[in-house]
Amino acid sequence: MRTASGKRTKAENIYLPVSGRIEEIRKKTEDVSLFRVSTASPLRYTPGQFFMVSVWGAGEVPISTASLCEDDLFVEFCVRKAGTVTGAIHSLQEGDRLWLRGPYGNGFAVGRRANGDVLLVAGGIGIAPLRPIIQMFAKDGSAGSVTLLYGSKGPQDVVFMDEVQVWRSGGIDVILTVDRANCDWRGSAGLVTDLWHRARVDFSRATAYICGPEIMIKSVMRDLSLFGMPDERIITTLEAHMKCGVGKCGHCYSGPKYICTDGPVFSYKEIKEYSLLG
Ligand SMILES: Cc1cc2nc3c(=O)[nH]c(=O)nc-3n(C[C@H](O)[C@H](O)[C@H](O)COP(=O)(O)OP(=O)(O)OC[C@H]3O[C@@H](n4cnc5c(N)ncnc54)[C@H](O)[C@@H]3O)c2cc1C
Ligand code: FES
């Protein structure tokens, strides 16, 4: 649609963000906070999708949805302070505005109830896009068992430590591990891939959802495939440098895929023959 003067209207321009108000900020670790953002118009998004989030004067970055879309009124972003834009997001206060385009990407094709066992594997800030799936299973259950293997650098870096008990009460077997433990730590120490024996899942019938550093994703996908999990049921979400988020600029192009529009969620079957993982 165009105005009488021939200009494009706001609804037509995919690069125009909408304004969001930060309703709540919860500090999770030294460099990670959870931002609850509301917008004037209703929001519809699914786990695994992302928004392009911007702060005037700083720039725009892709950030995954970290909440379940239950009442269309808000979205939560779990943001690690990594550089310029994420630093600017962290400098905002409750009541301040930021800007959103999206939601973009395909998201996880995860139903309210899974047929078989479910294995979630997260590393560091990679827990953010998996949190809505965890919340979904903690609320509605699954036909099989649900195990979360969650690795962090140290005990102080476990992003959603305050939610672990709720997830466990919802029937999820949460196994925490850290690279460097201290004497107060009650979980495991070591890599998530050292803990396969603790996962109470039938690998051949389970579905895995994975997010974390690329090196972790690579080893987890390879191990699960070797254990007999079908490659189409080993699912991950990938990161890339993004500019447009909508398949126009080519910044996220990798192998034959645009991470922003073909992904960011891919199965091992889709990506193992390409160089999408390092
Ligand atoms: C689909 C998608 C979803 C994401 N979801 C989240 C999320 O939920 N929470 C979160 O904290 N972060 C998320 N990220 C990563 C986030 O977008 C980057 O941390 C952010 O773009 C860094 O921008 P900056 O301006 O703060 O840092 P810069 O100043 O641009 O860079 C700081 C450092 O981060 C590196 N970097 C920049 N962008 C990326 C990137 N996309 N991947 C890896 N390294 C990068 C740079 O090379 C540099 O070393 C996601 C990325 C993608 C592609
Ligand atoms: S970010 Fe522009 S094509 Fe993907």
Side-chain angles (χ1 to χ4, degrees):
M1 211 192 338
R2 287 172 192 269
T3 61
S5 62
K7 283 187 181 159
R8 285 171 183 276
T9 61
K10 200 168 178 176
E12 216 180 328
N13 190 336
I14 53 171
Y15 300 107
L16 266 186
V18 298
S19 163
R21 182 180 190 276
I22 300 177
E23 301 296 341
E24 189 186 18
I25 302 175
R26 281 192 276 154
K27 193 167 169 67
K28 291 294 183 178
T29 70
E30 193 49 39
D31 59 354
V32 176
S33 289
L34 186 70
F35 298 80
R36 175 178 280 235
V37 178
S38 65
T39 53
S41 46
L43 291 162
R44 298 298 307 161
Y45 55 90
T46 56
Q49 286 193 298
F50 65 94
F51 282 82
M52 296 301 292
V53 179
S54 54
V55 178
W56 281 119
E60 192 178 43
V61 287
I63 300 290
S64 307
T65 58
S67 50
L68 267 179
C69 181
E70 299 211 281
D71 55 13
D72 304 358
L73 297 178
F74 70 88
V75 58
E76 286 180 334
F77 299 113
C78 184
V79 184
R80 187 175 67 89
K81 201 194 230 175
T84 312
V85 183
T86 50
I89 295 172
H90 271 257
S91 71
L92 298 173
Q93 310 288 321
E94 290 177 359
D96 284 349
R97 301 225 153 249
L98 43 65
W99 298 84
L100 309 178
R101 288 193 293 124
Y104 296 136
N106 52 1
F108 293 103
V110 54
R112 285 262 156 187
R113 289 182 73 85
N115 288 326
D117 296 341
V118 175
L119 178 62
L120 299 136
V121 187
I125 190 69
I127 192 73
L130 298 185
R131 179 178 177 244
I133 307 183
I134 299 167
Q135 291 175 327
M136 190 185 287
F137 286 125
K139 209 167 147 213
D140 298 339
S142 148
S145 72
V146 183
T147 301
L148 167 65
L149 288 178
Y150 175 16
S152 308
K153 280 189 187 149
Q156 70 287 352
D157 300 308
V158 183
V159 176
F160 290 107
M161 196 58 170
D162 54 333
E163 297 184 18
V164 165
Q165 203 41 51
V166 179
W167 298 345
R168 284 187 172 137
S169 307
I172 297 179
D173 186 17
V174 182
I175 302 165
L176 302 177
T177 184
V178 293
D179 297 345
R180 288 178 306 276
N182 59 26
C183 46
D184 297 326
W185 179 245
R186 296 281 166 267
S188 300
L191 303 175
V192 285
T193 44
D194 296 334
L195 296 171
W196 293 135
H197 60 286
R198 302 264 313 271
R200 283 179 293 163
V201 295
D202 174 352
F203 288 108
S204 64
R205 291 168 41 85
T207 303
Y209 301 97
I210 306 154
C211 188
E214 202 171 282
I215 191 163
M216 184 208 90
I217 295 178
K218 221 171 173 175
S219 347
V220 168
M221 288 188 128
R222 188 202 49 217
D223 283 5
L224 294 178
S225 183
L226 288 172
F227 295 158
M229 193 176 283
D231 289 349
E232 63 275 17
R233 283 206 252 126
I234 305 173
I235 318 283
T236 192
T237 169
L238 297 181
E239 280 201 13
H241 288 275
M242 290 186 184
K243 288 286 177 209
C244 70
V246 289
K248 305 283 187 199
C249 72
H251 267 80
C252 70
Y253 194 61
S254 184
K257 309 272 187 190
Y258 285 111
I259 306 289
C260 65
T261 47
D262 295 319
V265 174
F266 295 95
S267 71
Y268 191 40
K269 187 175 179 188
E270 287 174 285
I271 61 175
K272 72 175 178 183
E273 62 192 275
Y274 307 117
S275 56
L276 269 68
L277 281 170

